[in-house]
Amino acid sequence: MQSRASLASWYALLVLSVATLYAVIDRQVIILLSQQLKADLHLSDTQIGSLQGFGAVLFASIAAFPLGWLADRMDRRVLLSLCVIVWSIGIATCGLATSYPSLLVSVALLGAGEAGLSIIVFALIPQLFAEKQRMTANFIYYAASVVGGGVGIALAGLIIDHIGVISHLVPTGEFTRETWRLVFFAVALPGPVLAIAIVFLRLNSQPAPAPISTATAIELPVLNFRAYLAANWKAISAVFVPFGLVILGASAVFTWLPIILMRRFEMTPGAVGAGLGTAMVLGSVGGLVLAGAAAKTMKSRWGVMTPVRVSQIGYSLYALIIPLYLFARTPAEIFVIATIQMGLGIGGNSLLPTVVQDLAPPQLLGRFFAISTVSSTLFGVISPVMVGLLSDHVFGPANGLQMASLSVAFPAVVIGATIYWLADRHIARTIARVRAPDTSLPLPSGELAGDDRWPPSTARNEA
């Protein structure tokens, strides 16, 4: 593969980023419409939480590994296009829902389609960019996706508040009487166009894996998926479990924060979308800048563990911010806290895709990112439901939803950050095995000592 990416590769990255923005808008629309869905379909907080948990997240985790398996065996562009079509159908059928069960089925379809997005995109990036530009491409895509998250919630709020502009153009019927149904129909329209654009992306040839010695191949089978997992389960768990716990904590806050603001301060969806969208964009940009600067400055010291270190620090600081919501008395204060928290969370996660790519050979990337998705979504399944149950049955009506949210988020993130820090040795060992012995990035001093040093000694190889 050429050392520098072509214009077609950067265009492909742009299209994939737009696909991520589209997925964010679809998810945020459901959150911002929660109050209207609660009133019209008579939903409880537990049921609203289960839409994000058992509906979107559980079915995403079920679909993730089959999609990862397919991503290693068929044209990834075609597969991603099919995923876009599926989740577009899912969001459209939300507008046809007449009860909680029918809405749950539609959200499940949405989650199953979106499950393939990050899996396929991060498996596609090595087909678009050479090793020297891969971390940059990962960082740009991640930056676009997280900044797009803020833009997405703002756009979703605008669509909800201004759907009345076109409502008079739609014939009145059973499924157009409520304006929230028109919102779901409207956001489903771009799906087919985006799917066509993805199919026609131009890819480079699949990059060859880095050269690996015979001794390495014996210790770390690169083609046998089960053997690879068995040989490296400690490192895999050390990355995916903390990431899942942080996702659990973040979901407990940001899934419910729009609803908390609408209930507590009687804000409109548009106002909430604008406020949180601004907070997410500012926080994301700040977090990305800080993470990028830290990675560039500390690369010579941290070596291949640089992305891991950035995540560890970000997660630790993220946990410290969560209790500040207890002291917020105005929407502005909540938006400021959300901005800081978003910056730390985004900064912590910004280089995580590179960590995942460094833990697996190219032949297994689709399935490996599927495991990443499954591990995070399994934690995400229980987060909204836990908050809903605590809100309905434990905490009182006054600020009960906020207390439930923070009670789930804070311990989850603290535990995740702690596990991540304690697992340095296992992560460094696996990264060293996968990378070529003559890697251009130095191993962190003191990380691998004694028999754990890489490459192994001659006596060990012969054994």
Side-chain angles (χ1 to χ4, degrees), residues 218-279:
I218 294 174
E219 285 196 292
L220 184 66
V222 298
L223 297 176
N224 188 315
F225 185 60
R226 292 182 180 178
Y228 172 80
L229 295 181
N232 298 276
W233 68 270
K234 291 181 180 179
I236 295 169
S237 301
V239 172
F240 293 157
V241 171
F243 177 57
L245 287 169
V246 172
I247 290 295
L248 188 155
S251 177
V253 173
F254 286 98
T255 296
W256 292 97
L257 200 53
I259 303 173
I260 292 171
L261 288 164
M262 287 187 283
R263 288 187 187 178
R264 185 176 173 186
F265 302 104
E266 298 182 352
M267 299 177 68
T268 67
V272 171
L276 284 180
T278 301

Side-chain angles (χ1 to χ4, degrees), residues 25-339:
I25 293 175
D26 288 352
R27 291 192 297 268
Q28 296 296 343
V29 159
I30 295 176
I31 295 173
L32 292 176
L33 287 174
S34 293
Q35 285 295 92
Q36 297 180 42
L37 295 172
K38 179 182 177 71
D40 290 349
L41 300 183
H42 309 291
L43 305 180
S44 66
D45 283 345
T46 302
Q47 289 175 321
I48 292 174
S50 69
L51 291 176
Q52 298 297 321
F54 291 117
V57 182
L58 178 60
F59 280 87
S61 65
I62 293 173
F65 194 79
L67 289 172
W69 184 86
L70 288 172
D72 288 336
R73 287 166 171 78
M74 65 177 289
D75 191 322
R76 289 164 178 162
R77 297 167 298 180
V78 174
L79 182 60
L80 182 55
S81 297
L82 293 175
C83 288
V84 173
I85 294 296
V86 169
W87 89 56
S88 299
I89 294 173
I91 199 67
T93 56
C94 286
L96 304 176
T98 57
S99 63
Y100 169 72
S102 59
L103 184 61
L104 181 64
V105 171
S106 297
V107 173
L109 189 63
L110 170 67
E114 290 184 350
L117 181 60
S118 62
I119 295 171
I120 300 170
V121 169
F122 285 120
L124 275 172
I125 284 177
Q127 289 183 263
L128 295 167
F129 299 91
E131 173 69 22
K132 290 183 179 180
Q133 291 184 296
R134 179 167 58 87
M135 181 180 290
T136 301
N138 285 331
F139 192 83
I140 291 174
Y141 172 75
Y142 185 81
S145 65
V146 296
V147 172
V151 175
I153 191 171
L155 288 176
L158 285 174
I159 293 171
I160 294 170
D161 276 3
H162 295 88
I163 194 66
V165 174
I166 64 170
S167 61
H168 67 281
L169 302 176
V170 180
T172 302
E174 182 179 357
F175 294 112
T176 58
R177 191 174 298 113
E178 296 92 357
T179 55
W180 60 264
R181 298 185 185 277
L182 295 179
V183 173
F184 284 125
F185 298 150
V187 297
L189 292 177
V193 177
L194 183 58
I196 293 173
I198 292 172
V199 166
F200 288 100
L201 295 179
R202 193 171 73 184
L203 303 179
N204 300 313
S205 59
Q206 177 69 36
I212 300 177
S213 67
T214 304
T216 309
I218 294 174
E219 285 196 292
L220 184 66
V222 298
L223 297 176
N224 188 315
F225 185 60
R226 292 182 180 178
Y228 172 80
L229 295 181
N232 298 276
W233 68 270
K234 291 181 180 179
I236 295 169
S237 301
V239 172
F240 293 157
V241 171
F243 177 57
L245 287 169
V246 172
I247 290 295
L248 188 155
S251 177
V253 173
F254 286 98
T255 296
W256 292 97
L257 200 53
I259 303 173
I260 292 171
L261 288 164
M262 287 187 283
R263 288 187 187 178
R264 185 176 173 186
F265 302 104
E266 298 182 352
M267 299 177 68
T268 67
V272 171
L276 284 180
T278 301
M280 293 171 71
V281 170
L282 293 178
S284 299
V285 171
L288 290 167
V289 170
L290 289 175
K296 183 177 181 179
T297 303
M298 302 305 295
K299 183 185 294 185
S300 60
R301 177 179 178 183
W302 291 338
V304 294
M305 291 292 285
T306 298
V308 178
R309 290 285 181 271
V310 172
S311 298
Q312 290 169 330
I313 295 171
Y315 290 171
S316 300
L317 296 176
Y318 187 93
L320 298 178
I321 296 298
I322 295 175
L324 294 182
Y325 285 107
L326 294 172
F327 304 99
R329 295 293 179 264
T330 66
E333 292 175 354
I334 290 179
F335 291 143
V336 170
I337 297 170
T339 300

Side-chain angles (χ1 to χ4, degrees), residues 360-372:
Q363 300 95 320
L364 304 179
L365 278 178
R367 282 163 286 180
F368 201 66
F369 274 105
I371 292 180
S372 173

Side-chain angles (χ1 to χ4, degrees), residues 409-446:
F410 182 66
V413 179
V414 169
I415 294 171
T418 302
I419 293 174
Y420 207 5
W421 278 107
L422 294 176
D424 263 6
R425 188 180 188 85
H426 303 301
I427 298 171
R429 183 184 302 158
T430 293
I431 291 177
R433 286 175 176 173
V434 173
R435 295 182 67 86
D438 59 345
T439 176
S440 59
L441 287 177
L443 291 174
S445 59

